[in-house]
Structures are given as C-alpha cells and as structure tokens.
Amino acid sequence: MISKLLENNRRWAARQTKVDPDFFTRLSQQQAPEYLWIGCADSRVPANQIVGLDPGELFVHRNVANIVHGADVNCLSVLQFAVEVIKVRHVIVCGHYGCGGVRAALAGRQFGLIDHWLWPLRELRATNAEELARCEDEDTRVDRLCEINVAAQVLNVARTPIVQNAWHRGQSLKLHGWVYGLKDGIAHDLNLTISGPDGLDPAHVLEALN
C-alpha cells in the first residue's frame, strides 16, 4: 500500500531527527557531494546504501544498464550540473552482475522500446563476440558483458566535452568503473580510473575552448 510508504517515511524522518536534530536543516540549505554515481535503475542496487553515505553526500543518476548515451539529455544534464555546478571530484559508473538489461541485450528476441535503449549493449556484444563465446555459461557471459559495459561507459563519460573541459580548466575530476555483486553486496573496482585526457586515445581528446 502507498500509505505504508508514507508511514515508513515519517518513521525514517523521526529516526534521523532523533540521531541528528539538525540533519534536515543542514540538508535543506545546500548539497555539496564529492561524488556522482551513474548506476543501473535496478531496485536491488541502492547507491547511497552500498557506499554507506547519507542523503546529500552522493549525486545520483540511474537508468537501465547504466548506459551513457551521447544523445541522452537527461544523463548529460546531470553530468554537467554535477561537474560544473556542484564540482564533484569523482564520477563512478557502477554496473552490477546479473544485470537484466545486459541479459536482454545478449538475447536474440525483441522486448519492445527497451531494445532502442539497449542498442549500445548489443554493439558491445557484437564487438566482443569471441570473448563472450569462450565464457562457460550464460550467467558468466552476462557478468563479463556487465564489466565490458562499465568500461565502455566510463570512456563515454571521459569523451564528453563536459568532462574534458573540466580537465582543461585544471579541475580535479576522476572517473571510476565499478561492478556491484548482488550475491555478496560488494562493489568491485575494475581499475578503470581516468583522471585526465592522457588516459584517452588521442583521437578522442578535444582541444580546449578558446
């Protein structure tokens, strides 16, 4: 019942106030998180809880399969606001093992409108077909494509003018690729950190604005 959610909210707010009477006052005045989280919309992957941060400490964008589309105005607007206004110091792209969006992209059948959204994942499936074919079973293929997808999305973030202009300005900004394990609750760092244009292929580096 929806009313149950409202009751849960009131109890949560009361607990927060009891522990920290000024919590909501501080929170309402400003937000100054150091991190932007780009993650999957899966309900089993709650960003703040995974990394143990309170509201106001993590700026979050979520979509199916944590994809960064170059034409997705929603995602790019979040990225620009986080980088240029809030001035986050870290952008974390976090996928998760067993992702339903990734599994759908590996399947050959149609699912509807979501097929358009998952097109980049189908491209990744095609370009990594040989490696994926060597995986011992479907679950292993799904998990490997989850990792490949995170790596691709970190690069997509790095290639945006938003991020590259921040680097040109001398802004401290690091990009990270993680995959969360649903079975153990552990976030795995894929060691994909990019902290400047030197981490990119020269073909994808943009000149600084005049």
Side-chain angles (χ1 to χ4, degrees):
M1 297 293 290
I2 292 295
S3 59
K4 180 66 174 177
L5 301 184
L6 292 172
E7 291 174 14
N8 291 346
N9 165 254
R10 294 186 185 96
R11 284 196 294 269
W12 171 77
R15 287 196 302 269
Q16 288 290 122
T17 303
K18 184 176 181 179
V19 173
D20 183 355
D22 297 324
F23 177 79
F24 290 108
T25 300
R26 290 196 311 273
L27 195 63
S28 66
Q29 291 173 350
Q30 65 176 358
Q31 63 169 341
E34 293 191 6
Y35 314 95
L36 167 62
W37 175 283
I38 299 176
C40 184
D42 193 299
S43 62
R44 300 167 294 177
V45 191
N48 284 70
Q49 289 175 258
I50 286 172
V51 291
L53 294 179
D54 287 330
E57 295 184 309
L58 189 69
F59 202 57
V60 178
H61 174 79
R62 297 171 68 179
N63 61 53
V64 175
N66 45 273
I67 293 174
V68 179
H69 277 285
D72 181 4
V73 177
N74 186 355
C75 181
L76 295 179
S77 295
V78 170
L79 180 62
Q80 182 176 27
F81 189 81
V83 171
E84 297 182 4
V85 179
I86 299 177
K87 298 191 183 303
V88 297
R89 299 173 64 86
H90 302 273
V91 177
I92 301 165
V93 178
C94 187
H96 66 95
Y97 293 122
C99 179
V102 172
R103 193 177 297 275
L106 278 170
R109 65 184 188 277
Q110 294 188 43
F111 292 91
L113 182 61
I114 191 68
D115 293 318
H116 297 281
W117 179 257
L118 296 177
W119 187 260
L121 268 171
R122 295 187 188 277
E123 291 290 298
L124 288 174
R125 179 194 66 182
T127 55
N128 295 275
E130 290 186 10
E131 178 183 354
L132 294 171
R134 292 194 295 269
C135 294
E136 60 186 20
D137 54 37
E138 182 183 355
D139 288 343
T140 305
R141 279 191 293 276
V142 169
D143 288 351
R144 180 59 187 136
L145 187 53
C146 288
E147 295 173 341
I148 292 170
N149 180 46
V150 167
Q153 305 317 317
V154 170
L155 284 175
N156 284 345
V157 173
R159 292 167 182 166
T160 64
I162 297 165
V163 167
Q164 294 198 30
N165 286 335
W167 286 332
H168 288 316
R169 291 192 300 269
Q171 189 171 333
S172 177
L173 182 64
K174 293 183 178 181
L175 315 180
H176 311 270
W178 295 1
V179 180
Y180 174 72
L182 293 174
K183 295 179 180 179
D184 59 12
I186 302 299
H188 304 268
D189 187 348
L190 298 181
N191 296 314
L192 301 173
T193 299
I194 303 176
S195 55
D198 291 344
L200 294 176
D201 185 309
H204 295 125
V205 176
L206 303 173
E207 294 183 0
L209 290 172
N210 296 326

